[in-house]
């Protein structure tokens, strides 16, 4: 025997001949596979509209068995920043200030980059959705501090999202556009530009390595974490950041050489080394 579906189709009752259906307003015609609500528009209210508290609304909210069908609340639309915050809170509870520190290097080089002004509105959005909670801690001579924790609902949302295919992020890098237009610029100036960019990338390499060493020291770990451990994802992101940053540094050094040759002089070998500071003389006792 065919099953009845609780799907409801709302139509205005208009036929091809121009006349309207004679079915009473708000009545439900049941058939196999579909439940159809036919609303007449003849006189009075109810021209294709569902009013709260009416028999029409009651028919829509009830299944064929007469029981009320639960109205599912659709989940909020989440941004990548929201998931980044949930992932950080899944490790341990953190204050808003701690979370905002991930918006700047070296943390932003291995996870996600966002402005400080975006963090707190996103936390409020997550709290409203029930994905995070917070407790308030009073601090002497300073504003109260909120400590955020992830909820089971937040963990469940993060767990399901983690296995979804990632969206392709658009590449918007000023340096790529500058390189595209470099043939119009002064070769010596372009050489200096790429030298500075290479030095910045090399600095980023050092900061990423220091960041990972700090994480290991805080967690009391050494070596490569196991795949099942919570630090493995951080380690994997650090490896990717190191590879990408080194590639960017090498690419900038190569461009520096190309424009130095065009400008008629060899590129400078790295940055100038600082003269060592004189050793302090031993003090007389």
């Amino acid at each position: 025997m065919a099953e009845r579906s609780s799907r409801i189709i709302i139509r205005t009752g208009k036929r091809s001949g121009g006349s309207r259906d004679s079915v009473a307003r708000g009545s439900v015609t049941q058939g196999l596979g579909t439940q159809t609500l036919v609303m007449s528009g003849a006189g009075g209210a109810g021209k294709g509209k569902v009013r709260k508290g009416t028999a029409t609304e009651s028919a829509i909210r009830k299944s064929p068995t007469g029981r009320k069908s639960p109205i599912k609340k659709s989940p909020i639309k989440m941004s990548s920043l929201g998931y980044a915050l949930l992932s950080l809170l899944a490790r341990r509870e953190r204050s808003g200030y701690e979370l905002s520190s991930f918006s700047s290097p070296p943390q932003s080089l291995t996870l996600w980059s966002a402005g400080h002004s975006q963090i707190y509105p996103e936390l409020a959005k997550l709290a409203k959705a029930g994905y995070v909670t917070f407790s308030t801690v009073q601090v002497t001579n300073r504003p109260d501090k909120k400590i955020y924790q992830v909820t089971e609902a937040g963990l469940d949302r993060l767990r399901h999202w983690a296995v979804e295919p990632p969206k392709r992020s658009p590449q918007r890098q000023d340096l790529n556009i500058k390189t595209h237009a470099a043939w119009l610029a002064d070769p010596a100036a372009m050489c200096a530009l790429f030298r500075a960019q290479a030095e910045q990338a090399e600095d980023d390499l050092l900061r990423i390595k220091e960041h990972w060493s700090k994480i290991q020291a805080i967690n009391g770990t050494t070596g490569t974490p196991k795949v099942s451990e919570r630090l493995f994802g951080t380690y994997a992101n650090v490896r990717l950041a190191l590879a990408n940053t080194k590639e960017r540094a090498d690419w900038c050094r190569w461009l520096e050489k190309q424009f130095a040759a065009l400008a008629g002089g060899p590129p400078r070998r790295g940055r100038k080394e600082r003269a060592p500071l004189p050793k302090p003389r031993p003090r007389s006792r």
Side-chain angles (χ1 to χ4, degrees):
M1 184 176 177
E3 295 182 357
R4 294 180 184 272
S5 170
S6 59
R7 184 166 62 91
I8 296 176
I9 302 173
I10 301 177
R11 54 190 176 90
T12 61
K14 207 169 187 178
R15 289 182 177 176
S16 58
S19 62
R20 295 186 177 273
D21 292 325
S22 58
V23 184
R25 182 186 302 113
S27 64
V28 176
T29 304
Q30 294 186 6
L32 291 179
T34 306
Q35 181 181 355
T36 306
L37 176 66
V38 183
M39 302 176 64
S40 70
K47 295 184 180 179
K49 294 182 179 180
V50 179
R51 293 195 172 187
K52 213 168 187 179
T54 62
T56 303
E57 186 205 25
S58 175
I60 290 176
R61 290 173 65 96
K62 289 184 179 180
S63 64
T65 59
R67 296 178 181 177
K68 281 191 175 182
S69 302
I71 298 177
K72 292 183 179 180
K73 185 180 179 182
S74 58
I76 64 168
K77 187 176 180 180
M78 291 273 292
S79 65
S80 297
L81 173 59
Y83 287 113
L85 294 173
L86 287 181
S87 188
L88 288 168
L89 292 173
R91 304 286 182 89
R92 63 177 178 86
E93 61 181 29
R94 301 174 193 265
S95 67
Y97 177 79
E98 286 181 279
L99 291 168
S100 65
S101 68
F102 281 83
S103 64
S104 56
Q107 292 92 329
S108 62
L109 296 173
T110 60
L111 187 61
W112 186 254
S113 178
H116 285 254
S117 59
Q118 296 175 276
I119 303 293
Y120 289 97
E122 194 68 26
L123 286 170
K125 183 179 175 181
L126 294 174
K128 186 177 180 180
Y131 294 149
V132 302
T133 58
F134 62 85
S135 54
T136 304
V137 178
Q138 292 184 348
V139 183
T140 307
N141 298 327
R142 294 179 64 184
D144 293 345
K145 182 168 65 172
K146 289 181 179 179
I147 306 297
Y148 293 87
Q149 305 93 21
V150 68
T151 64
E152 285 298 324
L155 287 174
D156 189 56
R157 182 73 186 265
L158 180 64
R159 190 179 296 113
H160 283 82
W161 175 83
V163 296
E164 294 177 1
K167 296 178 181 178
R168 294 192 66 176
S169 301
Q171 295 291 329
R172 299 190 184 99
Q173 297 187 21
D174 285 349
L175 189 58
N176 289 11
I177 304 172
K178 291 177 183 294
T179 307
H180 192 267
W183 65 282
L184 295 169
D186 175 58
M190 292 307 301
C191 178
L193 172 69
F194 287 113
R195 182 187 309 119
Q197 291 297 309
E199 291 174 357
Q200 180 180 321
E202 288 160 1
D203 281 342
D204 287 343
L205 277 172
L206 295 175
R207 296 174 75 178
I208 294 169
K209 291 176 182 178
E210 290 171 358
H211 175 57
W212 175 240
S213 298
K214 184 179 179 181
I215 291 175
Q216 286 184 304
I218 291 173
N219 290 274
T221 60
T222 56
T224 304
K226 296 179 181 178
V227 180
S228 58
E229 295 177 348
R230 61 190 178 94
L231 281 183
F232 179 79
T234 304
Y235 169 74
N237 285 342
V238 166
R239 282 193 59 160
L240 179 62
L242 288 171
N244 288 342
T245 307
K246 186 179 186 306
E247 184 67 26
R248 189 171 80 248
D250 293 344
W251 179 71
C252 288
R253 286 297 184 194
W254 171 74
L255 282 166
E256 178 195 358
K257 291 178 181 178
Q258 305 307 307
F259 284 101
L262 185 60
R268 292 197 329 215
R269 295 291 180 181
R271 64 190 72 187
K272 292 181 179 179
E273 297 290 339
R274 293 182 180 179
L277 296 174
K279 294 182 180 180
R281 294 179 181 178
R283 295 182 181 179
S284 55
R285 294 182 182 179

